[in-house]
Amino acid sequence: MANFFKKAKLAGAVAAAMAAGLAVQTAEAVNLSPDGLGEVALVPYYSARNGYDTYISIVNTDPVNVIAVKIRFREHDNSRDARDFLIYLSPNDVWTGTITMHAAVDATGAPLPPDAAGNPALGWPVIQTNDNSCTVPSLIPFEADASQATRAGMRGVAFTSADYDGTTRTDVGSSSIVRTYDGYVEIIEMGTANPAVSPIAALAVHSNGVPASCPTLEAQYNEAVITSGFQHIQAQFREPLNVMKVAANLINAGSGLVVPMPVTMLANFNNNNSLMLNPPRDTRPDLGDVFPPEIIKINSAGGVQTDEFETGYDSVSALLMATSVINEYAIGGAARALNDWVLTFPTKHFYADGRALSPFSNSYGACETVEYDYANREENSPVGFNVPFSPPLPTPVPQICKEVNILSFAVDGNNIYSALAGNISNASPPPANNVYGIQLEDGFTSGWLNLTFTGNAATDAENGGIVGTDTNDGITETRYLGLPVIGFGIKTYSNTTTGIQYGITQEHAYTRNP
C-alpha cells in the first residue's frame, strides 16, 4: 500500500504534533489527497445539457500493476445510478470517455415517434469512447446499436432512468430521463494486480495499443461464473493503490468553450485486500466502502485530526463537511458574463434517500436551508441579506434541494440566465429543477459571496452533524458540522466584437468545523 504522508504540509504537521508530545495515530486512513493521486475520484459535475459535453480521462500511473475501476454516473436529483461499468487499465494506461446528448433514435438510427400526448421523444445522454481499454460489460459499437453511441467508430452505452422510474427502483421524484441530463461522477479503484502473476490482469495488458483479450476478461464475469462465485477474480487482485489520476472538462463545441473542473481525490480509501472487486451488476463498491472507517486531516485550527466513524460514508462526509461555501461572482458587463456555482452533495443519498439522518435535515424531496451574504469588489455590502432565490419558493428562506445544485447569478425577473443550463424560461425540453437564481441588488454585479448552511442538523452543536471518535484514545468525540459538499464556480464570457466565447472555473473555498 502506498504511504499516506505524501505532502510536506501534512507530514510536517504530524511531525510537529509528535515533537510536542502529542499522540498521533499513523495507521492508514482515508484522506483528501494532497498530490492529485488517489483511489477514489469525485467529479462534481457532468452535463449533456445546453450543448455541453463532459470529457473524462482516467490515468493509471502505476508502471507495473493493472487497476480495476468502477465508474458510476449519478443523476442530479437523488444520486440514483444513471449508468456504471468496470474499466481495466493496463500499466501506464489512459482511458477517456465523453458524455454527450443523443437524439431519440432506435437501434437502427431511426427517430422515435412522439409520445401519446404528441410531445417529441426526449433524447438521452450516452457515455462513449473509441478507447481500447477493456470495459465490463463491453461498450456497444454504434454499428451494432445506433442508440448507444452517436457516430461510427464509437462505442458507448446510454444513460437510463431505470433506477428511479420503477423499472428497478422508484422514488418520489420525477421519472423523466431529464434527471440524468446532468449529475456527478464517482470513480472508485477496486483493486490492483501484477499481470506477471495474475492471468486475469494480463488479459487487459496492451500490446501495440490493443489489450490481450477483452472478451476473455469479460467472460470472467458471465452469469454462470458470478452465480457460482467470483472468488477466482478476487484472489488475483489486492487492495487499491494511490495511483489513479482523473481529469474532467466541460466542452461546448457550439460556442468553442472548454473549461476544466476540479476533481476531489481520496487517498487510502480502502485498505483491505480484494474487498471491493465486485461484479459489474453490483451496486458496490460505493462511497460507503471506506476501510477502516477512519480519517486523517488538518482541521480548521491547523492541527491533525484522526477520527473513527460508525460507517464508511460518514468518513467521506467528514472529510467534505463545510459550514459555508465561498467564491467570487461576476455577471453582465461588456463581456456579457454569466456565472454559476455548482454545489454537489456526493454522500447525501446515504442520509436522505428514504430516511432523514444528520447532517441533512430532511429526507429526499425536501430542502436544506441556506443563508448568503455578499460584497462587491469595492467592499460594499447591500442592506438586508438573504434575498430569496428565484423562482420564488413557498417560504422566504433560501433553500437548495437536490444532490447537484446550480446557483445562477444572472437573474432578470422570472428569467434565469445560466452559464450551464441556458435561459431557463426558454429552455426546451423543460429544464430540470436543480437550477436556482440568486437575485443580486443593483450595483452588485461582481464581487464575492458566502453561502452558509443553516439547517438544524447541519448546525446543532449538541445533536447535529457527524460524530467521530479519536483513534488515539478511543474516547474523545468530535462533532463535524455543516454539509458534505464539493463543486466549483464557472464564468462564461462573450466577446461582442469577435463573437468568441470563453470561460473559466474557480474552485470554491470552504469554512469548516472542525
Side-chain angles (χ1 to χ4, degrees), residues 50-61:
N50 195 34
Y52 280 99
D53 295 337
T54 306
Y55 178 90
I56 295 172
S57 61
I58 306 171
V59 183
N60 175 14
T61 67

Side-chain angles (χ1 to χ4, degrees), residues 348 361-369 393 399-402 436:
K348 181 178 179 180
S361 300
N362 299 289
S363 62
Y364 167 59
C367 304
E368 294 294 323
T369 60
L393 295 168
Q399 303 177 77
I400 51 178
C401 308
K402 305 302 179 183
Y436 304 86

Side-chain angles (χ1 to χ4, degrees), residues 165-186:
D165 68 6
T167 303
T168 303
R169 291 195 296 168
T170 189
D171 62 23
V172 299
S174 166
S175 62
S176 172
I177 191 67
V178 172
R179 283 174 54 170
T180 71
Y181 283 11
D182 60 355
Y184 66 98
V185 187
E186 296 172 354

Side-chain angles (χ1 to χ4, degrees), residues 200-214:
I200 292 177
L203 297 170
V205 175
H206 292 204
S207 176
N208 297 321
V210 180
S213 181
C214 292

Side-chain angles (χ1 to χ4, degrees), residues 2 62 246 268 318 345 391:
D62 193 323
V246 172
N268 299 310
F345 303 118

